[in-house]
Amino acid sequence: MRRPTDSSDRPSRLSIFLRRQKRLLRPVLLVVILLVVGAGCVTALRHFGSDPHFAPLRGRIINMLPLRITEIDVTGCVLTSEAALQQALGVRTGDFILGFSVAGARERIDALPFVDHSVVERHLPGTIIIHLFERRPFAVWQNHGHFMLIDRDGNQVRDQGMTGKDAEAFMQLPLVVGPDANTAAAALIDELSAQPEVRSHVVAASRVGQRRWNLTLRNGTTILLPEGQEVAALKRLAQLQENIKILDRPVIAIDMRLPDRLIVRENPVAPNDSDRDRDDTPPQAAPTGDQAPVAPWLSSPDTGPRRRRA
């Protein structure tokens, strides 16, 4: 004979569920505790790493650790300077290799003006390998008011305009101006590179009539080079710079188009009354054509005597 059961003595569904899941609750609680402890440790380490008061202790701990950088291997570096790459890398040989951020170094290196992208690898125990993939801009070409990076053959190099690292590339490369300047630039820039004393003064080269070049110096002087005789003219100019510092003179133009003479055009200076009193000779007429305004001095060939004109 069954005894009647009291419904109040029956366990609830929640208690039954908790009894069944009791074995799972203990590991879950353990994981929660570990997460809380881990978060506290991370916070403490961040404070330890950023607080300047712990800097001496942090430095001692790092110096006691093994795994130092013993070698930094770089490939593909042509246009990027060693100093710029070293600064972007952020570490040197002897530094702790595990403290080196691969992602951070790659981001900084990719921001360099001539780098398209890079691959940065860390190989334990002490080697860092860097593969650079550079853009190859050779000059800046200005044509009809537009600026673009060009390679050695005169083709446009991919860029994002005058912003960011492209702006740095624009500032570091030689500027060539005018139609046909892009395809003729390589020969002129190579010839300028052979005369570093001249090139250091040049800020731009303009193509004239798709035949010859005019050079613009930092002080505003224009140098008119002869057609097809750029090498000889630049050598002559370098010699004059060494002898009389001609590129440092505040003149308007230096005309080298005539093979047997050099024409220098100075800024016109209005004579004062005292000068007119001392000078009783009438002024000569200014030459016409390419030689106007008056050339202050002419030297027919460099070994000959120098003559002055009024």
Side-chain angles (χ1 to χ4, degrees), residues 37-295:
V37 173
C41 293
V42 170
T43 302
L45 288 175
R46 286 183 178 178
H47 181 70
F48 175 78
S50 59
D51 194 336
H53 297 290
F54 293 105
L57 179 59
R58 186 169 60 250
R60 292 179 183 177
I61 293 175
I62 291 176
N63 290 331
M64 293 173 61
L65 296 173
L67 302 177
R68 298 286 172 176
I69 298 174
T70 58
E71 182 180 2
I72 300 175
D73 187 12
V74 181
T75 60
C77 184
V78 178
L79 299 174
T80 304
S81 67
E82 182 179 350
L85 182 60
Q86 180 66 61
Q87 183 177 1
L89 185 61
V91 293
R92 298 178 180 272
T93 55
D95 292 344
F96 181 48
I97 193 170
L98 294 181
F100 169 65
S101 173
V102 174
R106 181 171 58 247
E107 182 177 353
R108 292 189 299 270
I109 292 173
D110 288 349
L112 294 175
F114 299 113
V115 177
D116 183 75
H117 65 281
S118 63
V119 176
V120 182
E121 301 174 349
R122 173 173 48 198
H123 293 264
L124 297 178
T127 303
I128 294 175
I129 297 177
I130 304 170
H131 301 282
L132 293 184
F133 297 88
E134 293 183 326
R135 303 177 300 165
R136 294 301 178 92
F138 184 73
V140 179
W141 179 32
Q142 178 185 351
N143 190 33
H144 299 296
H146 299 286
F147 294 84
M148 65 182 69
L149 298 177
I150 58 173
D151 60 17
R152 188 177 182 85
D153 296 326
N155 302 315
Q156 183 175 3
V157 175
R158 179 178 60 84
D159 66 80
Q160 298 178 357
M162 298 285 287
T163 58
K165 67 177 183 179
D166 285 323
E168 298 181 40
F170 276 100
M171 295 298 293
Q172 297 180 34
L173 293 172
L175 173 66
V176 294
V177 184
D180 188 50
N182 59 322
T183 56
L188 177 68
I189 293 174
D190 288 344
E191 293 159 6
L192 280 170
S193 299
Q195 308 297 336
E197 286 297 323
V198 177
R199 180 170 181 175
S200 64
H201 288 75
V202 176
V203 295
S206 301
R207 191 72 168 160
V208 181
Q210 300 182 355
R211 299 180 296 106
R212 63 175 194 83
W213 293 95
N214 284 350
L215 304 180
T216 302
L217 305 187
R218 297 186 185 277
N219 60 4
T221 300
T222 300
I223 299 178
L224 289 72
L225 296 179
E227 179 182 354
Q229 300 295 323
E230 293 87 358
V231 175
L234 291 174
K235 287 182 179 179
R236 183 183 179 194
L237 200 60
Q239 187 65 39
L240 290 170
Q241 173 64 11
E242 181 179 354
N243 293 338
I244 61 174
K245 302 298 181 184
I246 191 172
L247 301 181
D248 299 321
R249 297 188 176 189
V251 299
I252 296 176
I254 302 173
D255 193 341
M256 307 185 70
R257 291 176 293 176
L258 298 177
D260 61 339
R261 65 188 62 223
L262 186 75
I263 304 175
V264 176
R265 304 173 187 171
E266 290 185 341
N267 290 305
V269 179
N272 53 36
D273 293 338
S274 60
D275 292 336
R276 283 196 294 267
D277 293 339
R278 288 193 301 267
D279 189 3
D280 296 329
T281 60
Q284 298 180 5
T288 59
D290 289 341
Q291 296 184 7
V294 177

Side-chain angles (χ1 to χ4, degrees), residues 21-33:
Q21 302 300 324
K22 186 175 181 180
R23 294 181 179 179
L24 296 177
L25 288 177
R26 291 178 180 176
V28 170
L29 291 175
L30 180 60
V31 170
V32 171
I33 294 172

